[in-house]
């Protein structure tokens, strides 16, 4: 059984930074970890991903050069450092796990409850 718990969201101003955390339990090291976000009225979209084992990273074009994904294997935690936040980054952010590298939400088999990020202009 997999459990993912996100934290770190909040209300910030444009240009500020936030760091999201996702603590994972269960047999996690075979998985690919992704961060997704969903704004009101929009589809859930891929933000960033990384493998526990290889550490490879992947970013969507909208966050590349502003967001950084990292992990602490000992703490079973994946982080998403978000810098230079923009109002359009406002969304609920989810952590998810998949069997392999992928950007499609339907491929991910486990999801956290989400954490709200609101960026004011």
């Amino acid at each position: 059984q997999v459990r993912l718990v996100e934290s770190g969201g909040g209300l910030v101003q444009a240009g500020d930074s936030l760091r999201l955390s996702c603590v994972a339990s269960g047999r996690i090291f075979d998985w690919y970890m992704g961060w997704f976000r969903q704004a009101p009225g929009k589809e859930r979209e891929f933000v960033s991903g990384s493998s526990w084992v290889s550490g490879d990273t992947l970013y969507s074009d909208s966050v590349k050069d502003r967001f950084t994904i990292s992990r602490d294997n000992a703490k079973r935690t994946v982080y998403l450092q978000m810098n230079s936040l923009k109002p359009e980054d406002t969304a609920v952010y989810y952590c998810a796990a998949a069997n392999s590298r992928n950007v499609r939400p339907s491929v991910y088999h486990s999801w956290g409850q989400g954490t709200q990020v609101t960026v004011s202009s």
Side-chain angles (χ1 to χ4, degrees), residues 39-95:
K42 295 188 176 181
E43 294 186 351
R44 193 167 296 188
E45 64 171 349
F46 177 83
V47 174
S48 181
S50 180
S51 165
W52 286 106
V53 175
S54 69
D56 72 291
T57 58
L58 184 64
Y59 298 95
S60 66
D61 288 342
S62 61
V63 306
K64 199 172 185 178
D65 299 328
R66 298 189 299 123
F67 291 10
T68 303
I69 189 170
S70 62
R71 76 209 188 284
D72 184 328
N73 289 17
K75 294 183 178 180
R76 293 173 168 254
T77 302
V78 178
Y79 303 99
L80 185 67
Q81 177 67 43
M82 307 185 295
N83 298 331
S84 302
L85 283 162
K86 305 175 181 179
E88 50 263 43
D89 294 319
T90 296
V92 177
Y93 283 72
Y94 298 90
C95 174

Side-chain angles (χ1 to χ4, degrees), residues 3-49:
R3 185 163 183 253
L4 303 173
V5 180
E6 305 99 331
S7 62
L11 171 63
V12 297
Q13 293 186 332
D16 285 351
S17 298
L18 276 176
R19 189 178 78 161
L20 305 183
S21 299
C22 171
V23 180
S25 63
R27 187 175 176 177
I28 64 175
F29 294 115
D30 293 335
W31 300 339
Y32 189 84
M33 300 300 295
W35 282 100
F36 289 79
R37 66 186 182 187
Q38 189 166 19
K42 295 188 176 181
E43 294 186 351
R44 193 167 296 188
E45 64 171 349
F46 177 83
V47 174
S48 181

